[in-house]
Amino acid sequence: MAPIPPWKPLDEVAPPRTDEQGRVVAVIATRSAAAAGWAPSVVLDLARAWAAEGGRVIVVDGVVERPTLHEAADAGNREGLVDAVLHGASVGRVSHQVAGEGLFVIPAGSPVASADTVAADGRWQRLASAMTEAGVAVLLYLEDEQESASAFLDHARDVVVLCGPDEAVPPWIRESGIRIRAVTGPEDPSAVAPLGVASAPTSLPPREPRIVEKRPGGGRLLLLLIGALIIAAGLGYLLTSLL
């Protein structure tokens, strides 16, 4: 069982050291944090703080069942992680720059019948590996109660838990054995603009799922070339082919 560090305010969470830059960090919101609506905005604040310290950071919305990160980033959600993993869309196409900032996000993208298919797909693993091998810290936003959270957690090196100061870390996170890097949240949650998700259901939203079909020639090696993924404020991310 992973040791649990004490809760600390968001601005006291240290960024990864230089030798820790290339890794997937799962940022997991507890049920109350997700319901209050402040968690997606706080994920972006954490990414900004780490980038300000010189780190190379990209934020990915792993909550494909009920995405909200794109709202906090004021970005579209027509295509995203699902499309890059299951439909062959390029990362350059599905990534969005936060307006006026050198911060990029990959939203959840198209709905799927089963979110586990994304976490288990080899393309997601190769996508994450390509970014981390380039020294990028991938902040993967997840929620405690989403069905695919544990499957995504298999690919993370560290966990940051978003919760209130008096909340307990969910047992499944403690029992995962993955290092809990920090337990944190805003000192004043009311100061963080909510996204209006407090009344959202904890199950899948009532929308028609898109069934992922196998493409002809699916056994062939597909090439997904990531070019200049992030070029902002003098920072360029040049990632190599994933497949």
Side-chain angles (χ1 to χ4, degrees):
M1 183 176 295
I4 303 174
W7 188 93
K8 64 176 61 176
L10 186 69
D11 58 5
E12 295 181 13
V13 177
R17 302 187 308 268
T18 302
D19 61 339
E20 295 180 321
Q21 282 298 317
R23 62 184 53 217
V24 176
V25 179
V27 184
I28 306 177
T30 61
R31 178 180 183 178
S32 63
W38 53 259
S41 296
V42 168
V43 175
L44 295 177
D45 287 341
L46 183 64
R48 291 184 183 101
W50 287 9
E53 294 292 328
R56 296 185 291 178
V57 183
I58 188 165
V59 186
V60 179
D61 191 354
V63 190
V64 296
E65 298 98 324
R66 186 184 56 189
T68 55
L69 186 67
H70 64 284
E71 297 179 39
D74 195 22
N77 191 42
R78 177 179 293 272
E79 293 182 306
L81 176 63
V82 171
D83 305 276
V85 172
L86 299 183
H87 308 306
S90 70
V91 171
R93 176 173 170 173
V94 303
S95 60
H96 299 266
Q97 183 176 6
V98 179
E101 302 182 44
L103 181 64
F104 279 67
V105 302
I106 297 178
S110 300
V112 287
S114 173
D116 285 341
T117 60
V118 181
D121 195 288
R123 291 182 183 87
W124 157 241
Q125 299 172 36
R126 288 187 282 274
L127 170 61
S129 294
M131 290 190 285
T132 57
E133 288 171 6
V136 178
V138 180
L139 295 190
L140 177 64
Y141 175 55
L142 303 170
E143 291 180 358
D144 172 23
E145 293 198 331
Q146 73 179 88
E147 294 180 3
S148 61
S150 59
F152 273 114
L153 195 60
D154 289 343
H155 308 295
R157 294 278 300 276
D158 298 336
V159 174
V160 172
V161 180
L162 300 182
C163 63
D166 299 322
E167 281 189 84
V169 173
W172 71 272
I173 299 177
R174 298 198 309 266
E175 295 166 3
S176 70
I178 299 175
R179 181 175 73 151
I180 300 176
R181 186 178 197 91
V183 180
T184 186
E187 288 190 276
D188 181 9
S190 65
V192 181
L195 297 178
V197 300
S199 60
T202 56
S203 58
L204 292 178
R207 61 186 179 186
E208 186 69 21
R210 174 169 144 186
I211 305 300
V212 179
E213 299 180 354
K214 293 290 185 179
R215 297 178 176 179
R220 292 177 301 174
L221 195 64
L222 301 178
L223 294 181
L224 182 60
L225 180 65
I226 299 181
L229 173 62
I230 299 176
I231 303 177
L235 176 63
Y237 297 168
L238 183 60
L239 304 181
T240 56
S241 57
L242 300 180
L243 300 179

